[in-house]
Amino acid sequence: METEIIRIGGAGLDGGEFTEAEERALLHAGEIIRAGGLVAFPTETVYGLGGDALNPDSARKIYAAKGRPSDNPLIIHIYRFEDIYGIAGQVPEAAARLAEAFWPGPLTMILPKASGVPPETTGGLETVAVRLPSHPAARRLIRYGGGYVAAPSANLSGRPSPTAAKYVVEDMRGRVEAIVDGGEVGIGLESTIVDLTVDPPQILRPGYVTEEKLAGILGRVELDAAVIAPGGGEAPRAPGMKYRHYAPRGKLVIVEGEPDKVAAYVNGQAAQERAAGCRTGVIATKEMHGQYGADVVKYIGSRDDEETIARNLFAVLREFDDEGVMSIYSESFSSQGLGQAIMNRLLKAAGHHVVRV
Ligand code: TXA
Ligand code: MG
């Protein structure tokens, strides 16, 4: 299949108006979705792979394009709040409060599903995941695409989620009808998922909307045990969280401890592995960047600036692949606030391989 690349940019992405040509292009992309095709598009979190959420064939095509198991349910994206009533069988008052506080934005809510949502979209579950993204191109596309767009992250199953169009092109060219290129995303980690069908509500996937922020609105909120369980022993409640995810091709190990000891350990390992002919890499903070002697040292941001670390994480993992790095060491991060989401993704990428020095 020939994949059309649709470039948009400029004022529309900054909250201003899209040009007429961009509007036409987004309308055309929306028509592809209405006709049952797939369009990858930017959101504020990561790029999504969109299809008509109410069309079972579109859901099947999404699974096929990603190489994703079809028991892994899809998030349905809407562009205005009232459309939630079309796909959720019940909208608790807590959902309205969360929407008021965090929508449009990087939050997904799990609610009981309405009968019109095909089981193909929800992986056979009786619940549905709903999100109203803030990215202007995403909202336009959802509207032009019929109002209900199912979209997983636009990566091949198992690979890091794409934070720029070039990564979508890498994974999806030839597999989808079109890719909307809106440059780099702002957040870089997928939305927070909160399950409102249980009491107290449960965070199934941490993200930019942190536990603290959710607790501020909901009062009580719990974290799915699998999100924090060392070794990933618990079965997560979001089906997609059970798969090895975000993984670079190389082996990834998280090294925890005093900065000097971490550097000494990493440098020792890197020297040995290099001697054995293996290219090594390090995911380093600004503070420690100069301390490492591996083949490729990637600077991920300053330790105090978690937003930058979040935005860079998936791109850095992909770059190691491009540079043929087969053994990667990463510093560890705090698990508070946004750090909870960063560590959740990093641990999954590492298959929970952590070394304490
Ligand atoms: O930021 C995001 O959420 C991005 C962008 C494109 O919006 N999308 C995304 O979708 O991350 P995906 O498919 O890669 O991740 C969706 C996660 C999976 O772990 C899936 O199992 C879970 O949401 N999920 C979806 N529906 C669910 C449901 N009804 N109950 C529990 N978990 C659900
Ligand atoms: Mg994903």
Side-chain angles (χ1 to χ4, degrees):
M1 167 191 318
E2 182 81 22
T3 299
E4 196 180 331
I5 310 284
I6 299 173
R7 286 205 177 74
I8 50 161
L13 299 186
D14 299 329
E17 300 285 308
F18 286 111
T19 63
E20 260 184 62
E22 287 169 342
E23 282 289 352
R24 270 199 307 278
L26 288 167
L27 201 56
H28 163 67
E31 276 159 10
I32 295 175
I33 289 179
R34 282 179 200 251
L38 302 185
V39 178
F41 63 98
T43 82
E44 69 277 18
T45 56
V46 299
Y47 272 75
L49 175 58
D52 180 354
L54 305 182
N55 180 347
D57 284 336
S58 298
R60 282 188 210 106
K61 284 188 199 167
I62 289 175
Y63 294 121
K66 275 183 71 88
R68 171 172 176 158
S70 59
D71 69 339
N72 190 354
L74 306 172
I75 295 173
I76 302 185
H77 296 66
I78 56 178
Y79 75 96
R80 51 174 187 188
F81 179 77
E82 56 264 41
D83 290 338
I84 197 173
Y85 298 102
I87 47 173
Q90 212 188 317
V91 180
E93 182 255 341
R97 273 188 288 134
L98 286 178
E100 179 72 30
F102 303 116
W103 276 1
L107 177 71
T108 296
M109 300 186 216
I110 307 292
L111 299 169
K113 97 175 178 72
S115 54
V117 181
E120 285 80 0
T121 300
T122 62
L125 297 178
E126 285 309 312
T127 53
V128 64
V130 192
R131 167 158 128 78
L132 200 171
S134 63
H135 195 291
R139 292 179 73 183
R140 275 294 205 288
L141 179 68
I142 296 162
R143 182 169 142 209
Y144 295 152
Y148 296 108
V149 172
S153 48
N155 51 284
L156 286 173
S157 190
R159 298 214 68 204
S161 295
T163 51
K166 63 179 175 187
Y167 301 126
V168 181
V169 171
E170 227 172 77
D171 282 15
M172 289 298 154
R173 179 169 252 164
R175 295 174 163 258
V176 299
E177 275 77 6
I179 297 172
V180 176
D181 178 349
E184 288 180 15
V185 301
I187 293 177
L189 298 179
E190 308 86 345
S191 61
T192 306
I193 302 180
V194 62
D195 185 353
L196 296 179
T197 68
V198 292
D199 187 28
Q202 238 185 50
I203 298 169
L204 306 189
R205 181 174 72 184
Y208 187 81
V209 178
T210 59
E211 187 175 356
E212 293 81 354
K213 288 190 212 160
L214 288 171
I217 302 295
L218 293 171
R220 269 186 77 200
V221 60
E222 281 177 357
L223 198 59
D224 178 7
V227 168
I228 38 176
E234 296 274 332
R237 296 194 46 242
M241 299 290 279
K242 72 174 179 270
Y243 298 106
R244 181 152 190 245
H245 234 172
Y246 317 117
R249 297 200 178 91
K251 167 198 77 159
L252 171 62
V253 177
I254 301 169
V255 187
E256 260 180 26
E258 293 295 317
D260 290 349
K261 289 189 181 158
V262 169
Y265 175 82
V266 169
N267 291 340
Q269 293 292 114
Q272 272 179 34
E273 286 170 5
R274 194 181 310 133
C278 171
R279 245 168 108 67
T280 58
V282 181
I283 300 178
T285 53
K286 181 177 161 207
E287 289 74 12
M288 291 290 291
H289 190 244
Q291 310 288 315
Y292 298 107
D295 296 312
V296 181
V297 181
K298 294 277 178 201
Y299 162 63
I300 192 167
S302 167
R303 193 157 277 282
D304 314 323
D305 179 6
E306 289 180 325
E307 300 210 353
T308 301
I309 294 175
R311 190 162 53 238
N312 287 336
L313 179 63
F314 289 148
V316 161
L317 292 174
R318 278 181 182 258
E319 286 168 16
F320 282 124
D321 286 349
D322 297 343
E323 296 176 40
V325 172
M326 288 317 288
S327 178
I328 308 162
Y329 295 90
S330 176
E331 292 180 28
S332 178
F333 302 96
S334 127
S335 334
Q336 300 300 306
L338 184 54
Q340 191 173 69
I342 295 169
M343 279 310 286
N344 170 262
R345 306 307 194 277
L346 193 58
L347 282 162
K348 280 173 147 314
H352 287 266
H353 192 168
V354 181
V355 171
R356 288 187 186 78
V357 293

